[in-house]
Amino acid sequence: MDKKIVTEVKGIVCCRGRILLLKRSDFETTGAGEWEFPGGRIKFGESPENALEREIYEETGLNVKVKKITHASSFIVSENRNVIIIFYLCTSNHDMVSLSTEHGDYMWVRPEKLVESISEHLRNDVALDYEHIMRFIKCEFM
């Protein structure tokens, strides 16, 4: 079997000083029930920013403005699959979410609750970038 590298984008979506988290559907094959940021795979020929706007709209119905990259992370999910995730800070003017079937719930969390609310496998990434996220929220919303 060929080894595969998959590139994904995730949006740290901020609205009115809160951050959007989505709970993966219990029917998903990976990460069922985990809280995550919206986003997904980049399609061939698509820019990361356009992919993120598309994915967030498909998953939440929100139109967002992609602002800037916070960081990137890489991990091996199986012996044949390596995932690279690029995290972006985004803003939304609306907080009314319309979920796709990929997710079963959502919540808007205050920044101080973000680390404890996100699924465990993302906590290190969020904790490492927490100050950057906080500065962004203060500049955008306060």
Side-chain angles (χ1 to χ4, degrees):
M1 181 179 270
D2 290 336
K3 295 185 185 253
K4 189 173 188 176
I5 298 174
V6 176
T7 305
E8 295 184 0
V9 286
K10 294 287 185 179
I12 302 170
V13 179
C14 303
C15 180
R16 298 181 182 111
R18 298 171 299 151
I19 299 167
L20 178 63
L21 295 179
L22 304 179
K23 185 177 182 185
R24 289 187 64 82
S25 168
D26 291 335
F27 305 107
E28 289 293 314
T29 54
T30 45
E34 293 185 355
W35 290 95
E36 65 178 0
F37 299 114
R41 292 186 191 161
I42 300 171
K43 292 180 179 178
F44 183 82
E46 195 173 38
S47 74
E49 294 83 1
N50 287 344
L52 185 56
E53 289 171 354
R54 174 185 53 77
E55 284 285 347
I56 290 174
Y57 183 78
E58 289 173 0
E59 293 178 357
T60 68
L62 295 173
N63 289 306
V64 298
K65 289 183 183 177
V66 177
K67 298 290 189 163
K68 58 184 172 180
I69 294 174
T70 63
H71 68 285
S73 185
S74 176
F75 57 95
I76 296 173
V77 293
S78 72
E79 65 184 47
N80 296 315
R81 184 177 158 133
N82 184 20
V83 176
I84 297 170
I85 301 177
I86 306 168
F87 293 85
Y88 285 84
L89 292 168
C90 307
T91 59
S92 175
N93 291 329
H94 304 284
D95 61 1
M96 297 299 294
V97 173
S98 177
L99 290 175
S100 71
T101 58
E102 289 179 55
H103 298 93
D105 201 1
Y106 73 95
M107 66 178 161
W108 290 96
V109 298
R110 295 262 170 230
E112 59 272 11
K113 299 286 185 183
L114 180 60
V115 175
E116 68 189 57
S117 300
I118 197 86
S119 290
E120 191 172 336
H121 76 280
L122 289 173
R123 283 189 187 141
N124 285 340
D125 283 324
V126 171
L128 288 172
D129 209 35
Y130 186 74
E131 291 303 317
H132 191 214
I133 294 168
M134 288 300 294
R135 281 193 305 275
F136 174 76
I137 290 171
K138 284 179 183 174
C139 288
E140 290 287 325
F141 300 102
M142 308 214 173

